[in-house]
Each structure stands twice: as structure tokens, then as C-alpha cells.
Amino acid sequence: MDKYEFTVVYNVEEPKKSEAITAVEALLKSKNATVLNRKEWGLKTLAYEINKCDKGFYVFYELEMDGQQIASIERELSLNPSILRHMFVKEVYRKVKRRPFAPKDTAAKEVEEHVEDKDTDNSGN
């Protein structure tokens, strides 16, 4: 099971917004998705109008589920008129190897060598 972040933007003007939220959570549960965290970001102004709406109600989920279920969930969400937009993002954590900083003397020498190499190349012309 992989971890996903899932954001849904609901239509504010829809009178059954709370029913739409519970319907989405029931859909996730039916697809064996475990909701690890749920945050209501609330009412926000959209960057552009979607279906003649300029505001949306955002709900953010952290899920643990099988990735093969995403297509069927998205298909069902697209049929719901209360949902303006939705998006799944897979959480990918990887360790970044960082090279240690070189002492100032070493870094200065590398820069000087690089500059000297360029000077010797130009003198041959």
C-alpha cells in the first residue's frame, strides 16, 4: 500500500456540500483506502472560474491505498456535480545524498585552476 495526498475542491453554491463530502469519504472507504489525516482548508478564492464558480471549499486527505484504485475513484468523482476539481499525488520520500562542503582553501584552489585552464586555452589563439 502506497501513501497519497488527495485534494478535493467542492462547489460552495451546491446546497448538499456536506453530503458530497461524506459521499467522497464513503467512496474512499469502499475502495479500501485508509484515511490517515483529513484537513478542511475551508473556503478559498479560485485562481480562475470553474463552472461559473469563483470560490471553492477545499478538503485535503492523506491516504494509504492501492494505486490501482485511483482510476476508478477518479471516474466516479468526475460524475459528481458538487466536485469542481480533485487531485491525487503520490508521496515519494527519498534520501538525498549531499556531498560535504569543501574547505574554503580547496574551493578557492579549484576556482583558480579552472580560471588558469581557460587562460591557457585562449593564449593559443
Side-chain angles (χ1 to χ4, degrees):
M1 297 270 243
D2 295 322
K3 290 187 178 182
Y4 293 90
E5 294 177 349
F6 174 54
T7 307
V8 185
V9 182
Y10 295 94
N11 187 349
V12 178
E13 298 168 1
E14 191 72 27
K16 300 179 181 179
K17 181 184 61 159
S18 61
E19 292 177 13
I21 292 172
T22 56
V24 167
E25 291 175 1
L27 174 64
L28 293 173
K29 188 178 246 185
S30 71
K31 300 295 182 179
N32 297 325
T34 305
V35 178
L36 304 174
N37 193 5
R38 177 183 181 265
K39 295 179 186 175
E40 288 189 7
W41 288 347
L43 186 66
K44 301 211 181 270
T45 303
L46 301 174
Y48 54 90
E49 284 189 1
I50 303 172
N51 298 339
K52 298 182 182 179
C53 296
D54 61 346
K55 293 184 187 268
F57 188 82
Y58 284 72
V59 180
F60 174 79
Y61 299 92
E62 290 179 10
L63 306 171
E64 191 171 68
M65 62 181 287
D66 183 23
Q68 295 178 352
Q69 296 294 327
I70 292 176
S72 64
I73 292 172
E74 287 183 334
R75 191 175 315 111
E76 291 186 37
L77 291 176
S78 66
L79 299 175
N80 191 337
S82 299
I83 297 174
L84 297 176
R85 291 284 188 270
H86 61 275
M87 181 173 66
F88 281 95
V89 177
K90 185 175 181 180
E91 289 185 5
V92 180
Y93 295 106
R94 56 186 156 190
K95 293 183 179 180
V96 178
K97 292 184 180 179
R98 298 181 184 203
R99 65 176 195 180
F101 290 107
K104 289 184 179 181
D105 296 338
T106 308
K109 289 179 184 176
E110 289 177 5
V111 170
E112 288 175 8
E113 290 173 2
H114 184 68
V115 171
E116 288 176 11
D117 290 342
K118 284 186 175 181
D119 290 339
T120 57
D121 292 341
N122 291 339
S123 62
N125 290 332

